[in-house]
Amino acid sequence: MKSKAHALPGGLEAAVDASASQRAGAPAQDGWRNFSSEESVGEHGVSAPTDPGHSPDQPRKPATTRIIPKTGIAGLAENWRADLLSGFLVFLIALPLCLGISMASGFPPQAGIITAVVGGLLVSRINGSFVTITGPAAGLIVVILDSVQALGGGDAKAGYHYTLAAIVCASVIQMLMGLMKAGKMSAFFPSSAVHGMLAAIGIIIMAKQIHVMLGVKPDAPTLFATIGAIPTSLRDMNPEVAIIGGLGLLILIAWSLVKNRRLKMIPAPIVVVIVGMALAQYFDLDDEHIYLFLPEYPFLPHHEFTIGPKFLVSIPQNFLSGFAFPDFSLIGSGIFWQQVFAICLVGSLESLLSAAAVDKLDPFKRTSDLNRDVAAVGVGNIICGLIGGLPMIAEIVRSSANVNNGARTGGANFFHGLFLLIFVALFPRLIHEIPLASLAALLVFTGYRLAAPLEFKKTLAIGWDQLAVFVITIIGVLATDLLIGVAIGIVAELLFHVWRSVNWGQVFKLHREITEREPGVYEVKIGGAAFFANYLALKSDLMKLPKGATIIFDLSESWCVDHTVMENLHHFCEDYEANGGHAEIRGLDQHVATSQHPLAPRKRSA
C-alpha cells in the first residue's frame, strides 16, 4: 500500500465567526476513508480523485506559479491597498472581541486593545509569519482569570497587577524559547489532549459568560457551582439585559448559517455590537433606574429589575490613563511561578498551533518561521505586561478573516492595530455605550465553537482511544486546572500505548534513518514505536532536509504509529508539496488502524 499525503484541513477554529471549529487534521465532514495512490483527501475532507496525469512516483509540480509578495517596508509599499482594507475589516472583528476577552479575563476592558495595538504595530514588524493577526484570544481567558484570582486572593485590582508581573516573566521565557529554536515543541503534546484542553476552556467560558449575558452575578465560588447556577440565573435573569445578550447570540448563530458571500463580508461581531448599542439606548442603560417587567403576569417570581451603566463597558476617557504597571512583590512565591509557567505553556502552544494552521490558509503557501514568531510574540508580551495588557497569541479566527479579506503581508496586522489605536484614543465614549451582554454573547458563542458536540464526533471518528484522551483531558482541566488537566491527558495517552504493548524503552527514542537513495530523493525509514513523546527528534531532522526534493517515509518497520505522528507526517507532506517538493508515506499495508480515519493510530499486525 502506498498512501499519498494531500491537503488535510487543519487549524484551531477557536473563536467567534469561524465557519467551522475544526480539529487540526480532522475532517470537516463525515465520509473519511483510507486512501491510496488513486485517491486523496480533498479540500473538504472527502475522497477526491488525484490528478490523472500524475504518476505517484514523480514529484508533483505546483499547479500555478504565484508571485510571492515582498516583505518588510517594500511589501508594505507594494500591497498597502489590499492590506489596508483587510486590516480595517479585521479591526471591526477585533474591537468587540478584545473588550470581551479582557473583561472575561478579569482585566480592564482597555487591556485587550493595548495587546492588539502592540501586536499590530510592533510584533507584525518583527515576527516570522505573514498573514497572522496577533492579539488576545479566548483560549487564554481561563489561565489569566485563574491567575488574577489566585494571586489576588480576592482583591481583583491587586491580582491584576500581580498577573501583569507573571505575564512579563512568562514572556521572557517565551522569548528565550523562540531564540533557542523551541518552535517545534508543539509536536510533543498529543493532539487529542491539546484539543481536549481547548474544549474544556470553551466549557469554562460558556459557564461563566452565560450569567453575564443574562445580567445576573451568581454566588458561586467554584467552577462546578458556576455551572450548577445556570438554571437559577435563567430563572432570575434581568429581562432587558437578557434580550440584548440573547438577540446577540441569535445573530451569531444566524450569521454562521449565512451562505451569501457579500453578507459574510460584514463581521458578525460588529453587527452584534451595533444591535446591542441600539437596544441599550432604547432601554436607557446610561441612566440607572428600576423598571417593571410584565407586571400583569402573576406567575412570574418578581417583576422589578434594576438597570444602568454597570451593564455597559467601563473604559477611561483618556487612553493613557488606561495603562497599568506590574507588581513583582510575589516573585519569590511558588504560586506566582505556577501561574508564570501556565501562561507561558498555554500561550506558546496555542500560538504555535494557530500560526501553523494559518500557513495552510495562506494562498501563497508561505511557511512561517515559528521560532522567530514565538520570540516576537514573547517580546510583544513583555511590553504588554509592562503597560497593562493581556498576553497575545497568533489568533486563528481573525487571521482566517484576514486571509479571506485578501491580506497579502503583515501590513494588514499593522493596520488593524493602527485602527484600534485611533478608535480607542478618539472615541472612548462610543466604546462605553457597548453593553456587556453583547460581549458575553460573543464569548458564549466562542466557547460553544470550542466545545461543540461536533468536536466529540470528529474525535471519535479517529478512534475511541482518542475520544477517551479528549474526554479525560476535559474532565481533568475542569476538575483541577489547565496544567494538571493537560498532564492527565498526556498520561492517559501514554497508558493507551502501554495497553498496546509498547516497549517503554521506545517511549522517548524514535528509531529513524534518513538516507539519500539518489540525487534529490530521500528515504526516511522509521522503526519501533512512533508517537508524540519521541517525534521531536524526527521533526528536527526533517527541518534540515532541502526543499524541492522527493521525500519517502517508510513505516514498514514501525511497530505502531499514533494519531499525533500520523497528523504531523501528513501535514509535513502537505506543506512540503505546497512548496514545490514531493512527499509520500509508504509501508502501512501491514498495519491495522483503530478506525477508518486516515490519521487514526495504527499497530502492525502480527
Side-chain angles (χ1 to χ4, degrees):
M1 171 187 172
K2 180 164 62 177
S3 167
K4 283 200 54 64
H6 280 278
L8 297 172
L12 300 177
E13 295 296 344
V16 174
D17 207 31
S19 60
S21 178
Q22 295 186 25
R23 293 214 30 212
Q29 299 177 8
D30 294 332
W32 283 84
R33 52 193 175 94
N34 286 330
F35 48 101
S36 63
S37 57
E38 286 78 29
E39 298 172 325
S40 68
V41 177
E43 180 184 5
H44 300 292
V46 293
S47 295
T50 56
D51 180 1
H54 170 67
S55 170
D57 297 317
Q58 298 298 323
R60 178 182 294 277
K61 294 180 177 159
T64 57
T65 302
R66 296 179 177 87
I67 300 175
I68 305 300
K70 298 175 183 176
T71 58
I73 300 299
L76 191 63
E78 178 186 71
N79 303 288
W80 70 269
R81 289 180 179 84
D83 289 343
L84 180 69
L85 175 60
S86 182
F88 177 74
L89 294 174
V90 172
F91 146 73
L92 296 178
I93 299 173
L95 176 63
L97 288 175
C98 288
L99 294 169
I101 290 168
S102 188
M103 288 185 291
S105 302
F107 273 37
Q110 189 169 310
I113 295 178
I114 289 173
T115 301
V117 169
V118 172
L121 300 187
L122 172 66
V123 176
S124 70
R125 302 296 88 205
I126 62 175
N127 63 359
S129 54
F130 301 94
V131 287
T132 56
I133 299 294
T134 45
L140 288 171
I141 288 175
V142 175
V143 69
I144 298 299
L145 180 61
D146 180 65
S147 179
V148 171
Q149 294 172 342
L151 297 180
D155 186 340
K157 185 176 181 181
Y160 168 47
H161 291 280
Y162 292 140
T163 299
L164 291 177
I167 291 171
V168 172
C169 294
S171 304
V172 171
I173 298 173
Q174 192 175 38
M175 181 185 67
L176 294 175
M177 285 171 58
L179 295 176
M180 292 187 295
K181 312 296 183 185
K184 61 187 179 183
M185 284 299 293
S186 62
F188 175 79
F189 297 90
S191 297
S192 296
V194 171
H195 292 284
M197 176 192 75
L198 293 172
I201 288 172
I203 293 170
I204 295 170
I205 291 171
M206 284 191 289
K208 292 180 178 292
Q209 292 302 309
I210 283 174
H211 303 285
V212 179
M213 196 178 76
L214 297 173
V216 179
K217 188 173 183 180
D219 183 15
T222 66
L223 173 61
F224 289 108
T226 302
I227 295 173
I230 291 175
T232 303
S233 293
L234 286 168
R235 182 196 66 192
D236 298 337
M237 63 181 175
N238 190 315
E240 291 185 352
V241 175
I243 288 171
I244 295 173
L247 186 57
L249 189 59
L250 288 175
I251 290 171
L252 291 168
I253 295 170
W255 226 256
S256 68
L257 302 175
V258 168
K259 304 298 183 184
N260 187 285
R261 191 171 179 274
R262 291 181 181 274
L263 192 59
K264 292 286 281 187
M265 287 289 289
I266 304 172
I270 206 66
V271 176
V272 171
V273 166
I274 290 173
V275 170
M277 291 172 68
L279 287 173
Q281 289 296 312
Y282 178 76
F283 293 138
D284 192 20
L285 263 64
D286 280 318
D287 300 308
E288 185 166 346
H289 61 279
I290 296 173
Y291 70 96
L292 296 176
F293 183 75
L294 300 180
E296 65 276 14
Y297 292 94
F299 61 86
L300 293 177
H302 60 280
H303 310 280
E304 190 174 277
F305 298 90
T306 302
I307 203 166
K310 68 179 181 179
F311 293 103
L312 298 172
V313 173
S314 176
I315 194 167
Q317 294 302 300
N318 181 353
F319 178 68
L320 295 179
S321 65
F323 291 156
F325 306 101
D327 183 342
F328 289 93
S329 59
L330 294 182
I331 198 169
S333 67
I335 192 172
F336 178 86
W337 287 101
Q338 179 183 343
Q339 302 304 324
V340 167
F341 288 119
I343 294 169
C344 181
L345 173 64
V346 177
S348 300
L349 181 59
E350 191 173 352
S351 192
L352 283 169
L353 294 172
S354 295
V358 174
D359 283 349
K360 302 180 191 309
L361 304 176
D362 184 0
F364 299 101
K365 301 302 178 186
R366 295 165 288 188
T367 301
S368 297
D369 183 341
L370 296 182
N371 296 312
R372 181 175 172 181
D373 221 45
V374 171
V377 168
V379 171
N381 283 338
I382 291 172
I383 295 173
C384 290
L386 290 173
I387 61 176
L390 284 163
M392 72 182 73
I393 68 164
E395 207 284 324
I396 178 66
V397 174
R398 273 159 266 169
S399 300
S400 177
N402 193 38
V403 172
N404 292 335
N405 293 334
R408 297 170 66 86
T409 74
N413 192 11
F414 175 85
F415 286 123
H416 126 273
L418 183 62
F419 281 122
L420 281 168
L421 175 62
I422 293 172
F423 192 86
V424 75
L426 299 182
F427 307 106
R429 179 63 191 172
L430 195 57
I431 294 176
H432 173 66
E433 298 299 324
I434 299 174
L436 298 178
S438 295
L439 302 180
L442 296 177
L443 295 176
V444 168
F445 193 70
T446 296
Y448 177 77
R449 286 289 193 184
L450 286 168
L454 187 59
E455 297 301 312
F456 292 80
K457 182 179 178 181
K458 290 174 184 175
T459 310
L460 178 59
I462 299 171
W464 67 266
D465 56 332
Q466 297 303 301
L467 178 64
V469 173
F470 182 72
V471 173
I472 288 170
T473 305
I474 291 174
I475 296 172
V477 171
L478 296 180
T480 57
D481 59 33
L482 284 171
L483 289 181
I484 296 176
V486 172
I488 291 172
I490 292 173
V491 170
E493 179 84 4
L494 286 172
L495 290 176
F496 275 112
H497 287 295
V498 173
W499 177 72
R500 293 192 183 102
S501 303
V502 170
N503 185 342
W504 276 99
Q506 300 175 337
V507 169
F508 297 109
K509 185 176 180 180
L510 178 65
H511 299 282
R512 64 198 186 280
E513 181 183 349
I514 301 178
T515 55
E516 187 173 11
R517 292 301 184 189
E518 57 184 87
V521 179
Y522 295 84
E523 182 183 62
V524 182
K525 185 170 288 188
I526 300 173
F531 57 100
F532 72 94
N534 58 32
Y535 178 74
L536 284 181
L538 176 61
K539 185 172 183 178
S540 297
D541 292 343
L542 294 178
M543 292 172 66
K544 299 173 185 176
L545 292 174
K547 296 183 182 298
T550 295
I551 299 177
I552 299 172
F553 291 96
D554 182 1
L555 299 177
S556 59
E557 296 183 7
S558 63
W559 175 248
C560 64
V561 187
D562 81 344
H563 165 60
T564 303
V565 173
M566 288 296 300
E567 181 179 78
N568 279 296
L569 289 180
H570 278 274
H571 283 323
F572 173 85
C573 293
E574 175 192 4
D575 293 339
Y576 197 78
E577 291 207 348
N579 286 283
H582 174 70
E584 58 187 59
I585 298 172
R586 297 177 178 175
L588 293 177
D589 51 318
Q590 298 300 317
H591 290 70
V592 178
T594 60
S595 75
Q596 293 299 306
H597 195 288
L599 301 184
R602 54 201 70 215
K603 181 179 178 180
R604 192 166 63 194
S605 57

